[in-house]
Amino acid sequence: LYRRHFTDIVWIGRRTEESLITAKSIRFIPLTAGKLYRHFSLAAIISFLTIPVGLVQSWLILRRLRPRLIVSFGGYIALPVCLAAYSLGIPIITHEQGTRVGLANRIIGLLARRVAISWAPTRSAFPPRLTVLTGNLLRSAIVHRRTRSPIRRPLRHPLIYVTGGHQGSRVINQTLRQLLPQLTRRYVVVHQTGSADFNQFSALKLRHYSPFSWLDNEQVSWCFHHASLIISRAGANTVTELAFTG
């Protein structure tokens, strides 16, 4: 987008995304938005009550910014923004990354000018004349094999890359911690921990083990192209990139 001179970009999202987005010099606006749970609990009630807050915030943000286009990737954060955009006459493009269409994107798909899908079977969930099969976005560093090793020593053992995404995965991290003494006898382990757990893992002094809070695109590309095994959360983009790199 920058190369094509679309430089006035604003990201509306969860507060937890802010550091990642502002690090790329993109303007960030946090949004308080509730989601609909399929079970009854105190958290579900509180979340439901914040839905109107997200709608009002979204309307005020868009009224002030007056963007020419909304690009949505679905989810409970995108829904109030798209509802507000529709009421203000701002065009919407939404993208469905997965093979199962969530409730938010089913609703947004009725409001959007175009719906991009990643997998052909999801076409039936959206208006046919508005739907385009684009596939998922792949990072150019991975496609063009632009790599930079995050570790300084050469690989002398098979590599295991463990990642829980930007925020990390507590379940993956704690399970891995129990296995590290065994794994590092035979493998090099590169571990992207996320920011919350990084300090406890950086304190571990194990040979063949390298923890990182996060890795940039070229470092991730190196791990994808050199790993014998990857342990990861099943995010749509990650799964697509793993399929691409084999």
Side-chain angles (χ1 to χ4, degrees), residues 11-24:
W11 185 291
I12 300 175
R14 295 171 294 180
R15 179 72 70 178
T16 54
E17 300 169 328
E18 184 169 6
S19 60
L20 178 66
I21 304 307
T22 55
K24 299 180 181 295

Side-chain angles (χ1 to χ4, degrees), residues 130-242:
L130 303 179
T131 305
V132 182
L133 178 62
T134 61
N136 260 327
L137 301 169
L138 296 175
R139 285 175 280 193
S140 60
I142 290 174
V143 173
H144 299 297
R145 208 177 177 115
R146 293 200 308 270
T147 66
R148 188 174 73 259
S149 174
I151 56 178
R152 296 179 180 178
R153 52 192 177 277
L155 280 177
R156 303 190 187 281
H157 301 281
L159 170 67
I160 298 176
Y161 175 50
V162 183
T163 175
H166 175 62
Q167 296 180 58
S169 165
R170 181 60 52 85
V171 172
I172 290 176
N173 288 350
Q174 297 311 316
T175 304
L176 177 68
R177 183 163 187 168
Q178 300 172 43
L179 300 173
L180 276 173
Q182 297 167 265
L183 290 175
T184 51
R185 293 175 195 160
R186 297 176 57 190
Y187 304 98
V188 173
V189 179
V190 172
H191 180 198
Q192 190 264 310
T193 66
S195 55
D197 288 345
F198 175 69
N199 288 339
Q200 63 169 292
F201 282 93
S202 63
L204 300 177
K205 304 303 178 186
L206 292 169
R207 194 180 180 193
H208 304 316
Y209 173 66
S210 300
F212 300 90
S213 176
W214 68 283
L215 298 174
D216 65 30
N217 288 343
E218 292 187 358
Q219 292 170 324
V220 171
S221 178
W222 184 89
C223 292
F224 274 34
H225 287 290
H226 286 83
S228 298
L229 174 69
I230 295 177
I231 301 168
S232 170
R233 296 173 75 168
N237 284 335
T238 301
V239 169
T240 307
E241 290 176 341
L242 289 171

